[in-house]
Amino acid sequence: MADNVILNIYDLVPDQQNQSSSEPQQQRSGFSRMFAGLLEPLGLGMYHTSVDIGGFRYQFGSTLGISRTNSPIGGGDSAESRRYVPGNGQYRESIILGQTFCNQKEVNSIIQKLRDSKFGGDNYHLAHRNCNHFSETFATALILADELLEGGDANVRLEKFPKWVNRLAKTTSSGMGRDSEMACDVIAEARNALD
């Protein structure tokens, strides 16, 4: 039986905890909206993502690496699923990226291989290896497993993964120069997680 692979997207707004407590709440939330409003039209919004499959939500962060929580049916937001979402994350939407025939044992194996290779918490990098890189790599392994294992077409890509989600990191990393050891290669790493 096939399971939907669901991408959950959260807008990341500037952390308001560091602003003066005497500043009115309306002014602080107005600043956050303005900051996000300036980046988004340029296609440079800041986002956190996670992937839901089989009743669990998987995400990647700088401290724990890959974490798993229970997820609401059909994606979305809940107190349990928000446990590892950054405090400044505001739920935006959930998108069905495709389906997988992987069972829970196979999903666990993919997660373990990703964790053992390059998605441990100490490998997190805001521009080269973040939660969005993880979500795209994990979803690619789940949905495109057959194509990746055949190893044929080098242009394999998960078409439904929104390009705008990680555009800010990709733009930043291109300006920083790509460190070959740190930069995420979605297709190669998804393929390796299936071996």
Side-chain angles (χ1 to χ4, degrees), residues 2-149:
D3 275 322
N4 285 335
V5 177
I6 301 169
L7 178 70
N8 303 291
I9 304 170
Y10 293 82
D11 291 309
L12 294 179
V13 294
D15 188 359
Q16 298 173 5
Q17 293 176 351
N18 297 327
Q19 295 189 15
S20 166
S21 59
S22 63
E23 191 176 1
Q25 180 64 32
Q26 288 177 328
Q27 188 175 0
R28 285 185 281 169
S29 62
F31 172 76
S32 297
R33 284 193 309 270
M34 181 192 77
F35 184 76
L38 289 173
L39 290 175
E40 193 170 334
L42 300 172
L44 298 173
M46 297 181 298
Y47 308 98
H48 171 75
T49 58
S50 61
V51 174
D52 288 0
I53 174 72
F56 294 106
R57 176 161 296 171
Y58 299 87
Q59 51 202 349
F60 177 64
S62 62
T63 336
L64 297 174
I66 299 171
S67 60
R68 181 179 97 171
T69 59
N70 293 322
S71 67
I73 295 173
D77 201 24
S78 72
E80 168 68 11
S81 65
R82 284 190 61 81
R83 188 169 15 160
Y84 299 112
V85 172
N88 60 333
Q90 295 176 358
Y91 176 75
R92 173 185 268 251
E93 65 182 309
S94 295
I95 300 169
I96 297 174
L97 297 175
Q99 294 189 318
T100 186
F101 289 95
C102 293
N103 60 39
Q104 190 59 51
K105 183 178 178 182
E106 293 165 323
V107 170
N108 292 344
S109 175
I110 292 168
I111 287 294
Q112 192 59 50
K113 287 176 183 174
L114 290 171
R115 186 178 282 134
D116 290 345
S117 63
K118 296 189 178 184
F119 283 100
D122 57 339
N123 292 332
Y124 185 92
H125 187 279
L126 196 56
H128 295 301
R129 184 170 300 280
N130 61 40
C131 59
N132 303 316
H133 291 108
F134 164 75
S135 293
E136 186 174 8
T137 302
F138 181 43
T140 298
L142 292 170
I143 297 168
L144 300 177
D146 291 339
E147 292 92 328
L148 292 170
L149 290 173

Side-chain angles (χ1 to χ4, degrees), residues 118 128-129 133 137 178 182-192:
K118 296 189 178 184
H128 295 301
R129 184 170 300 280
H133 291 108
T137 302
R178 291 180 62 98
M182 182 64 74
C184 181
D185 182 338
V186 170
I187 299 303
E189 293 179 32
R191 183 176 285 124
N192 290 339

